[in-house]
């Protein structure tokens, strides 16, 4: 399976357009993230990729094979992990692995070897006999990932695999993904978390069923237009209100301080008077490098 | 292909073995049904309470009354002197049957004239009322023969075949076996498939290379095996505990039960395609089972049903299976005796199973 190509994908649930004329391509051996808030259309795209829904329009090819007509031909090379935990809760960790291995014809010595490798990564071995329903959220996700990887897929498709999982487990989860990517697995993952995007090769901002931007995490970050400053001052409501009155400036709380977002072409020197009137001085402003989230929010607001 | 099928079957049995409630249903249901139905459903009627209002009070009337005591059919109670008490007894639910002997009973009989007796029964228990009236009429006939010394010109000599003692349990066990096989397979099959939907595992399976046929067989074979096991359990219990005779070929019963399974598994499969929660599936299975059991001839003979209901019973596959089980167990029926029933089951099996499998396939492919 060389490349994944999605062309002009559109799908609606009744009158609600979930995905609208969406296109993207993913090269072999790459990890690709679909990033966006809930309801952006990520799951619809993923489900269409896995032939779990027939889109209203559009063409999806996995490794040159048309999903709509020849999905059976790619099944063996595909690993899929849905958004909700979809293993057998009444079976143990090991039994789930055995079952999925069996479906893909991974049995005997090959299964044992594969299982041991996966146990090594997932650290699930001590829990081999535990029922899946009794696992913690993070362990459940690692088991689901292991089941999706048991047959050495070339393409791994994951739908919000770390939603609701604690930060440590999330990191472990991504360590496993990175390991398998190194071995040549192409990965498509949807996520609402910006920090996870930084761990992928390419990403696409998804919003309201459309594509806001696409590129490497660095490229996407650089899309931010304007400047951001941090002010270490208690973000009281009167202070924020005063700052927000200044033209081309948006002030928001940031932890115990606040962030000032200056529109493109604006510099602190240009608004020195207004800043002083609000009770701050230009020297208080510390420049901040915009991150992915800043870039995404700006693009999103541009759409609204 | 075969390996993934075996994997599916193994998984299904593992899941059943983990489900305590399901295990309880599978093992306890046949035993409880057999015990409860075997003992409680008794179509033999004995020891009916009979209130006697004797207005004749003659030697002859007393002789007639004492003849009613024979054979444990009636328990006699001396009635009051007034018929007002009679109405009261029935209204309060204490009265089951009443016999009224008019005051000219012996006079008319000795004169060789006809006599009319009054028999009153509580029809709210239709079965025992009908049987009781029959007994009483029979006894009255015998008594009048004795008195007049005249034999009626037409005499009936009856002989009951296959179940000479008319033991109702012999008749019930085949019905219970058919009920169990129907309920268990329809209910468990539909619920087990819907559970995969609820868990999201069905969707997960659809992304794997498992073929539709393997998925289908992997879900159905385990429940076919469980259904047959269930049947065996009920059968063994019936034969050993209740001493029900098994006249025919067990192998033929097994073969025809397997044929019947195409229908019940097909119905279970169909229900799983029209429901999305186990509760809904259970409701459908329950509704079907009640309809199937009531119109199968299990409790009430089909011939006793109103005509339009009799036509409906032709649409009930269980009806044919009950006939088959009864035929094989009680009458040692063979293939030829049962051919109509077999043909019906083949048609039901092919039609229902095909529709269900196509529907299932459309939803999973």
């Amino acid at each position: 399976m060389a490349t994944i190509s999605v062309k002009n994908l559109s799908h609606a649930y009744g009158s609600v357009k979930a995905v609208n004329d969406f296109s993207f391509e993913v090269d072999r051996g790459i990890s690709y993230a679909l990033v966006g808030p809930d309801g952006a259309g990520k799951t619809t795209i993923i489900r269409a990729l896995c032939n779990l829904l027939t889109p209203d329009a559009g063409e999806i090819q996995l490794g040159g094979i048309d999903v709509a007509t020849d999905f059976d031909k790619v099944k063996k090379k595909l690993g899929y992990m849905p958004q909700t935990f979809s293993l057998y809760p009444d079976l143990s960790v090991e039994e789930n692995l055995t079952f999925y291995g069996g479906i893909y014809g991974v049995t005997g010595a090959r299964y044992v070897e594969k299982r041991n490798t996966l146990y090594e990564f997932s650290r699930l071995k001590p829990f081999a006999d535990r029922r899946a329903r009794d696992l913690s959220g993070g362990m459940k996700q690692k088991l689901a990932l292991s089941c999706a990887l048991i047959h050495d897929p070339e393409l791994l498709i994951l739908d919000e695999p770390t939603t609701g999982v604690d930060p440590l487990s999330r990191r472990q989860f991504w360590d496993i993904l990175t390991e398998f990517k190194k071995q040549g697995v192409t990965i498509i993952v949807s996520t609402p978390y910006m920090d996870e995007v930084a761990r992928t090769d390419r990403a696409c901002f998804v919003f309201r069923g459309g594509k806001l931007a696409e590129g490497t995490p660095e490229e996407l970050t650089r899309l931010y237009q304007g400047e951001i400053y941090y002010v270490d001052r208690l973000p009281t409501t009167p202070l924020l209100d005063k700052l927000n009155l200044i033209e081309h400036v948006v002030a928001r709380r940031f932890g115990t301080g606040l962030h000032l977002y200056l529109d493109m072409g604006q510099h602190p020197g240009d608004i020195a008077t207004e800043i002083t009137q609000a009770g701050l001085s230009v020297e208080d402003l510390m420049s901040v490098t915009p991150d992915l989230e800043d870039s995404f929010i700006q693009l999103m607001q541009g759409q609204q | 292909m075969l390996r993934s099928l075996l994997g599916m079957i193994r998984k299904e049995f593992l899941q059943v073995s983990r489900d305590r409630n399901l295990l309880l249903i599978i093992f306890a249901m046949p035993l409880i049904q057999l015990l409860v139905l075997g003992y409680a459903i008794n179509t033999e009627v004995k020891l009916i309470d009979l209130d006697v209002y004797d207005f004749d009070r003659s030697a002859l009337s007393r002789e007639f009354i004492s003849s009613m005591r024979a054979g444990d059919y009636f328990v006699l109670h001396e009635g009051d002197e007034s018929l007002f008490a009679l109405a009261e007894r029935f209204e309060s639910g204490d009265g089951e049957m009443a016999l009224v002997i008019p005051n000219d009973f012996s006079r008319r009989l000795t004169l060789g004239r006809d006599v009319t007796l009054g028999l009153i029964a509580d029809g709210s228990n239709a079965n025992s009322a009908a049987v009781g009236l029959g007994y009483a009429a029979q006894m009255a006939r015998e008594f009048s023969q004795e008195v007049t010394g005249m034999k009626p010109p037409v005499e009936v000599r009856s002989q009951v075949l296959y179940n000479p003692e008319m033991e109702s349990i012999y008749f019930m066990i085949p019905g219970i076996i058919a009920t169990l096989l129907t309920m268990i397979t329809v209910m468990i099959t539909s619920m087990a498939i819907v559970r995969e939907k609820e868990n999201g595992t069905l969707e997960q399976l659809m992304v794997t290379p498992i073929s539709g046929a393997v998925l289908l067989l992997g879900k159905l074979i385990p429940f076919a095996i469980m259904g047959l096991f269930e049947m065996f359990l009920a059968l063994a219990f019936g034969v050993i505990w209740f001493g029900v005779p098994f006249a025919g070929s067990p192998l033929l019963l097994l073969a025809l039960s397997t044929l019947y399974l195409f229908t019940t598994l097909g119905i279970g499969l169909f229900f799983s395609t029209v429901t999305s929660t186990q509760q809904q599936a259970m409701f459908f299975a329950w509704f079907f089972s009640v309809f199937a059991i009531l119109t199968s001839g299990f409790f009430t003979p089909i011939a006793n049903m109103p005509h339009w209901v009799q036509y409906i019973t032709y649409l009930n596959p269980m009806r044919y299976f009950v006939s088959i089980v009864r035929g094989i167990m009680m009458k040692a029926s063979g293939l030829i005796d049962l051919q109509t029933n077999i043909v019906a089951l083949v048609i039901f099996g092919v039609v229902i199973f095909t529709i269900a499998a196509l529907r299932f396939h459309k939803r999973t492919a």
Side-chain angles (χ1 to χ4, degrees):
Chain A
M1 256 195 266
T3 57
I4 288 93
S5 105
V6 173
K7 278 185 198 143
N8 313 107
L9 182 71
S10 292
H11 192 73
Y13 300 101
S15 61
V16 183
K17 276 188 181 172
V19 176
N20 199 7
D21 202 23
F22 200 97
S23 304
F24 68 99
E25 284 193 357
V26 180
D27 288 332
R28 185 193 191 111
I30 286 264
S31 56
Y32 189 94
L34 296 162
V35 206
D38 288 345
K42 304 186 299 282
T43 296
T44 305
I45 298 170
I46 297 250
R47 287 173 58 83
L49 279 174
C50 296
N51 199 33
L52 289 172
L53 67 83
T54 311
D56 297 340
E59 193 182 306
I60 300 169
Q61 289 198 339
L62 301 180
I65 291 162
D66 193 326
V67 164
T69 55
D70 289 318
F71 186 64
D72 282 348
K73 289 182 188 160
V74 293
K75 279 178 168 177
K76 263 197 152 77
K77 301 171 184 171
L78 175 68
Y80 165 60
M81 189 180 149
Q83 191 170 13
T84 46
F85 181 69
S86 302
L87 297 176
Y88 296 98
D90 42 356
L91 297 189
S92 71
V93 167
E94 170 95 38
E95 284 161 353
N96 269 295
L97 281 169
T98 315
F99 175 67
Y100 280 102
I103 286 181
Y104 287 99
V106 181
T107 50
R110 207 179 129 221
Y111 164 74
V112 173
E113 191 195 325
K114 193 70 208 173
R115 179 202 63 193
N116 290 343
T117 317
L118 287 166
Y119 273 162
E120 218 172 280
F121 287 119
S122 63
R123 298 174 220 186
L124 281 174
K125 190 164 188 181
F127 309 100
D129 292 327
R130 193 178 281 194
R131 304 277 159 86
R133 74 154 63 88
D134 299 329
L135 294 174
S136 71
M139 288 201 280
K140 273 183 185 162
Q141 295 309 85
K142 284 191 281 188
L143 174 60
L145 178 63
S146 302
C147 286
L149 285 168
I150 192 90
H151 59 296
D152 288 311
E154 290 176 32
L155 171 63
L156 188 58
I157 298 178
L158 311 115
D159 192 6
E160 296 201 16
T162 55
T163 299
V165 171
D166 69 274
L168 183 68
S169 299
R170 262 172 68 189
R171 195 191 303 161
Q172 281 180 7
F173 191 92
W174 275 91
D175 289 342
I176 304 174
L177 283 187
T178 310
E179 187 57 41
F180 279 88
K181 208 207 76 165
K182 267 189 218 157
Q183 295 174 17
V185 181
T186 310
I187 297 169
I188 297 181
V189 58
S190 77
T191 177
Y193 300 118
M194 294 295 160
D195 57 327
E196 294 186 343
V197 179
R199 300 195 62 160
T200 58
D201 297 320
R202 282 180 77 77
C204 169
F205 285 161
V206 188
F207 184 61
R208 290 185 178 169
K211 190 156 77 170
L212 284 181
E214 190 183 15
T216 64
E218 295 73 31
E219 285 168 352
L220 288 170
T221 311
R222 264 186 269 124
L223 288 175
Y224 187 81
Q225 298 184 319
E227 291 169 8
I228 304 174
Y229 293 92
Y230 176 72
V231 183
D232 190 13
R233 190 69 70 86
L234 216 60
T236 59
T237 312
L239 177 61
L240 288 169
D241 286 348
K242 273 184 211 159
L243 289 168
N244 276 318
L245 283 173
I246 308 171
E247 245 181 285
H248 305 298
V249 171
V250 173
R252 279 200 205 104
R253 283 192 177 85
F254 187 83
T256 54
L258 55 91
H259 266 166
L260 283 181
Y261 299 86
L262 273 61
D263 280 357
M264 183 78 160
Q266 291 288 314
H267 302 286
D270 306 334
I271 48 168
T273 343
E274 289 91 336
I275 285 176
T276 323
Q277 275 170 1
L280 300 176
S281 78
V282 179
E283 284 76 51
D284 293 333
L285 273 55
M286 288 173 282
S287 179
V288 173
T289 321
D291 61 16
L292 267 168
E293 193 162 339
D294 297 319
S295 165
F296 188 94
I297 290 172
Q298 192 178 55
L299 286 164
M300 217 166 73
Q301 281 164 346
Q303 286 276 310
Q304 278 170 337
Chain B
M1 172 95 178
L2 187 67
R3 230 186 248 167
S4 48
L5 177 60
L6 288 176
M8 277 290 291
I9 294 172
R10 185 175 164 266
K11 182 218 78 182
E12 213 61 55
F13 277 114
L14 259 176
Q15 282 189 291
V16 171
S17 74
R18 299 276 154 82
D19 192 334
R20 228 181 270 168
N21 294 331
L22 195 59
L23 281 180
L24 201 69
I25 290 176
I26 291 174
F27 285 98
M29 193 160 101
L31 300 184
I32 290 172
Q33 279 204 358
L34 279 168
L35 280 174
V36 170
L37 297 181
Y39 283 117
I41 300 184
N42 201 335
T43 48
E44 295 167 84
V45 179
K46 279 192 172 175
L47 300 175
I48 301 166
D49 285 315
L50 180 70
D51 300 347
V52 182
Y53 296 84
D54 181 3
F55 294 108
D56 194 35
R57 298 191 172 274
S58 62
L60 214 50
S61 70
R62 235 153 277 171
E63 198 185 320
F64 173 61
I65 291 167
S66 77
S67 79
M68 301 283 285
R69 283 184 216 275
D72 279 348
Y73 294 115
F74 297 107
V75 179
L76 301 187
H77 303 278
E78 200 64 37
D80 213 343
E81 282 170 16
S82 125
L83 281 176
F84 290 114
L86 186 146
E88 225 168 77
R89 287 269 294 164
F90 278 94
E91 269 161 32
S92 66
D94 293 331
E96 219 178 343
M97 266 184 79
L99 170 70
V100 181
I101 301 173
N103 54 15
D104 54 359
F105 181 75
S106 59
R107 191 168 50 88
R108 289 180 76 96
L109 265 184
T110 21
L111 288 173
R113 295 171 63 178
D114 59 333
V115 170
T116 309
L117 291 172
L119 262 180
I120 298 129
D122 178 0
S124 63
N125 188 347
N127 189 41
S128 66
V131 175
L133 291 176
Y135 288 153
Q138 170 76 19
M139 286 167 172
R141 244 192 326 274
E142 280 168 13
F143 183 74
S144 56
Q145 256 179 58
E146 231 171 82
V147 172
T148 57
M150 277 202 312
K151 269 202 162 190
V154 181
E155 196 193 348
V156 177
R157 262 188 216 165
S158 57
Q159 189 189 1
V160 177
L161 294 176
Y162 309 121
N163 184 4
E165 297 96 45
M166 301 237 268
E167 289 272 8
S168 61
I169 185 76
Y170 293 1
F171 187 67
M172 293 320 273
I173 292 282
I176 294 171
I177 287 168
T179 304
L180 278 173
L181 196 62
T182 309
M183 281 185 75
I184 288 283
T185 47
V186 171
M187 199 174 288
I188 299 187
T189 306
S190 58
M191 285 175 69
I193 299 174
V194 173
R195 185 175 52 195
E196 297 243 9
K197 269 199 222 176
E198 278 181 333
N199 282 345
T201 43
L202 192 64
E203 211 166 85
Q204 184 85 54
L205 287 175
M206 276 147 60
V207 181
T208 69
I210 201 163
S211 72
V214 169
L215 189 58
L216 193 67
L217 290 176
K219 288 307 290 189
L220 297 186
I221 291 175
F223 301 115
I225 295 172
M226 279 177 228
L228 290 174
F229 170 74
E230 210 51 1
M231 201 177 101
F232 170 77
L233 209 64
L235 205 56
F237 194 69
V239 171
I240 295 166
W241 184 266
F242 288 108
V244 177
F246 194 108
S249 151
L251 225 67
L252 182 64
L253 181 63
L254 179 67
L256 294 180
S257 303
T258 311
L259 169 67
Y260 179 55
L261 282 176
F262 278 89
T263 302
T264 57
L265 294 175
I267 290 169
L269 183 65
F270 181 80
F271 287 165
S272 78
T273 63
V274 293
T275 55
S276 50
T277 65
Q278 290 190 73
Q279 257 176 327
Q280 289 171 354
M282 182 134 145
F283 177 78
F284 271 73
W286 187 252
F287 182 80
F288 168 79
S289 298
V290 169
F291 160 79
I293 292 165
L294 287 181
T295 60
S296 68
F298 173 13
F299 290 110
T300 30
I302 290 170
N304 287 6
M305 297 173 187
H307 271 288
W308 63 274
V309 179
Q310 289 192 30
Y311 288 119
I312 292 177
T313 66
Y314 289 113
L315 296 173
N316 176 8
M318 187 174 153
R319 171 210 158 117
Y320 306 97
F321 188 59
V322 168
S323 303
I324 287 175
V325 183
R326 275 189 185 148
I328 294 176
M329 283 184 69
M330 298 174 72
K331 295 157 71 174
S333 305
L335 277 173
I336 295 163
D337 310 310
L338 299 169
Q339 54 184 330
T340 326
N341 294 309
I342 295 172
V343 168
L345 282 190
V346 168
I347 296 171
F348 271 107
V350 168
V351 172
I352 292 176
F353 195 82
T354 310
I355 292 173
L358 286 177
R359 243 190 102 79
F360 180 75
H361 189 70
K362 218 175 94 184
R363 306 210 134 209
T364 52

